[in-house]
Amino acid sequence: MNEMTKPQAASAEPAPRAAAGLLDRIFGLTERGTSVGREVMAGATTFAAMAYIIAVNPAIMSNAGMDRGDLVSATALAAIFGSMMMGLWANLPLAVAPAMGSNVIFTYVIVKQMGMPWQGALAMVAFTGVLFLILSLSKLREKVAKDVPEALKIGIQAAVGTLIVFIALRGAGFVVQNPSTYIAMGSLRSPPVLLTLFGLLLTPVLVARRVPAALMLSIAVLTLIGFFVPGGNGKMVTSVPSAIMSWPRWPSSTFMALDFGYLFSHFVVALPLLFYFLCAEFFSTLGTLIGVTGAANLRKPDGSIPNATAAFATDATASIVGPLLGTSVVTAYIESITGVQAGGRTGLTSLTVAGLFFLALFFWPIFVIIPPQATAPALVLVGVLMMQGLARIDMTDLGNAVPIVLTLLVTVLTNNLINGMALGTLSYIALEATAGRWSQIPAMVWGLGAVFIAYAIVIAQIF
């Protein structure tokens, strides 16, 4: 027995090495100068930086009338699917999850303002994912990237960022209605307002100091404080959870709930929003790919992105699967750069993120009790980050400044993204045309202008 035990023990020792060798062959760890341990640590770092989405996405989308508990599951499952696909197919250290910004447009513009049922809105997102998948598998994506002017792209992104800030502060009670000035700051005698104010000071400090998982830490601290802060309904700001851990719940109320009939019967009204989702998803992914692969030194000698088609197709496929589960647009996260800085270079980083999102499914009772006062400061920081593209624009050039400012201000002041996009696009066309640059206006922009005019006519008839 002893003689047989020794060979068995000896043969068991190489198992970890064999596993590492298999992962090396699959992901090319040696080729990219990394290791299993470094990739796992990088994945944990990326997850910590973006885990706030498990709390924030359900908090936002539940305002569309969807079940918050099911949204927690849908958010995590969409992140698991997208991150696994990115890791196994594209072999890039990019984590994928429901997109900030698109969930706000989904909830507050499409459902609450336009009156579209959330089932129809999910169908719109899935349809956009199909279009994006077609673009991703063809050469059309390069044409789209080239034809949409930088001023319009940045103006839309900054407008969405500003809208996120406004909606977050309003949801937390920090911004309230006022009969004289339309809006005003909430009373500083209100404990929930003071909690939000504390979060607005705490969160940017944590981010600026590069504290690991700063946004999630901020949400956790404010949620804990909320157990001791009285709310306006006679209860505390944070409710006591029913449990700490529980078996994951299937998102039964949102799974396969898409209503394509409503989408196609209201297609003209939905067309500008389809364009928004398509552009938001496309350019967000493009920017993230450029930033993350550059930080990881993964670009090819000619500057091209490795496995770019697979990465784009992953994003698009995840944006089809996401609505099937019950969430909005799914995209690659710029927070993936934190994992790259920790040494992540391959898709094993993404698989680690997927595994951690799976573990988070068991803590869904905690995520559903997080109050808006805890998520608002994190959303403000997300909105601020979405405005950073403004630094790349020459604002002394009216051809750039006017479309951007109109898109941003009209979106926020009318609380309507389509109004901002329409005026920004039409002002761009008017300025370029009157400057004698008719031929330099891309056909896509002319078409978009026509779509917005038709949209305005249709809306005027309906309302």
Side-chain angles (χ1 to χ4, degrees):
M1 290 293 294
N2 291 339
E3 290 182 0
M4 294 187 63
T5 305
K6 291 178 182 178
Q8 289 174 354
S11 63
E13 287 177 3
R17 291 199 197 105
L22 177 63
L23 293 174
D24 194 355
R25 289 193 297 273
I26 294 173
F27 297 103
L29 303 177
T30 302
E31 180 185 347
R32 296 191 182 178
T34 185
S35 64
V36 173
R38 187 179 298 171
E39 293 292 299
V40 171
M41 182 60 67
T45 303
T46 297
F47 175 79
M50 62 182 290
Y52 67 88
I53 194 64
I54 310 176
V56 173
N57 192 53
I60 291 173
M61 294 189 66
S62 61
N63 289 293
M66 305 168 76
D67 183 85
R68 189 166 179 175
D70 284 354
L71 283 168
V72 171
S73 299
T75 300
L77 289 170
I80 292 168
F81 174 85
S83 297
M84 285 186 65
M85 191 174 177
M86 184 68 77
L88 293 173
W89 188 14
N91 193 23
L92 291 173
L94 281 164
V96 177
M100 284 303 309
S102 294
N103 50 10
V104 172
I105 302 306
F106 179 99
T107 301
Y108 293 97
V109 176
I110 301 176
V111 176
K112 302 200 80 172
Q113 287 182 5
M114 300 178 65
M116 184 181 291
W118 59 262
Q119 294 89 341
L122 287 177
M124 180 192 300
V125 175
F127 184 72
T128 306
V130 173
L131 294 178
F132 186 48
L133 182 58
I134 294 171
L135 282 173
S136 300
L137 297 175
S138 71
K139 295 296 182 182
L140 289 175
R141 66 179 190 272
E142 284 87 357
K143 183 172 177 57
V144 173
K146 178 182 177 182
D147 283 358
V148 177
E150 190 74 3
L152 293 183
K153 288 187 286 187
I154 289 178
I156 292 171
Q157 183 175 334
V160 173
T162 309
L163 190 61
I164 288 174
V165 171
F166 176 70
I167 289 172
L169 295 179
R170 186 180 63 188
F174 194 81
V175 171
V176 296
Q177 290 183 339
N178 184 285
S180 301
T181 61
Y182 296 104
I183 60 172
M185 190 173 76
S187 173
L188 292 179
R189 295 181 180 178
S190 167
V193 171
L194 291 174
L195 179 61
T196 306
L197 177 60
F198 173 69
L200 291 173
L201 299 175
L202 170 69
T203 307
V205 170
L206 294 177
V207 173
R209 298 291 297 175
R210 299 185 182 276
V211 175
L215 294 183
M216 198 64 212
L217 179 60
S218 165
I219 292 172
V221 169
L222 295 171
T223 299
L224 289 173
I225 296 174
F227 282 117
F228 308 98
V229 176
N233 54 3
K235 301 178 181 178
M236 296 299 170
V237 167
T238 305
S239 304
V240 177
S242 57
I244 301 299
M245 290 183 64
S246 181
W247 286 107
R249 57 186 285 179
W250 182 253
S252 55
S253 67
T254 60
F255 179 66
M256 296 292 289
L258 301 81
D259 185 355
F260 284 99
Y262 188 95
L263 170 63
F264 292 120
S265 64
H266 296 75
F267 193 76
V268 174
V269 176
L271 196 56
L273 288 163
L274 285 170
F275 176 81
Y276 163 75
F277 280 126
L278 189 65
C279 284
E281 184 176 358
F282 180 84
F283 293 114
S284 172
T285 305
L286 180 63
T288 300
L289 269 175
I290 291 172
V292 173
T293 56
N297 294 318
L298 291 177
R299 288 195 216 148
K300 298 177 182 178
D302 62 357
S304 61
I305 298 169
N307 302 327
T309 297
F312 276 115
T314 293
D315 236 35
T317 306
S319 282
I320 298 172
V321 173
L324 296 179
L325 292 167
T327 188
S328 185
V329 173
V330 180
T331 190
Y333 262 58
I334 194 62
E335 284 86 346
S336 301
I337 286 181
T338 60
V340 166
Q341 291 170 339
R345 294 295 182 271
T346 74
L348 186 55
T349 295
S350 304
L351 287 184
T352 302
V353 173
L356 291 171
F357 269 111
F358 174 76
L359 292 178
L361 279 170
F362 292 87
F363 295 91
W364 67 265
I366 295 177
F367 291 111
V368 298
I369 57 97
I370 295 174
Q373 289 78 15
T375 57
L379 284 170
V380 169
L381 260 292
V382 170
V384 169
L385 293 174
M386 293 183 72
M387 298 178 211
Q388 290 183 342
L390 294 172
R392 302 197 304 269
I393 293 294
D394 178 11
M395 295 299 283
T396 63
D397 180 357
L398 288 182
N400 289 327
V402 172
I404 290 175
V405 172
L406 281 179
T407 302
L408 193 155
L409 290 181
V410 173
T411 294
V412 177
L413 295 177
T414 66
N415 201 28
N416 189 309
L417 176 67
I418 302 302
N419 290 343
M421 289 175 62
L423 281 175
T425 302
L426 294 175
S427 67
Y428 177 86
I429 293 173
L431 286 165
E432 290 295 296
T434 54
R437 295 192 289 264
W438 293 81
S439 60
Q440 296 182 26
I441 302 175
M444 181 175 293
V445 176
W446 283 111
L448 184 58
V451 166
F452 281 128
I453 292 172
Y455 174 83
I457 295 172
V458 171
I459 290 299
Q461 297 299 319
I462 294 176
F463 297 102

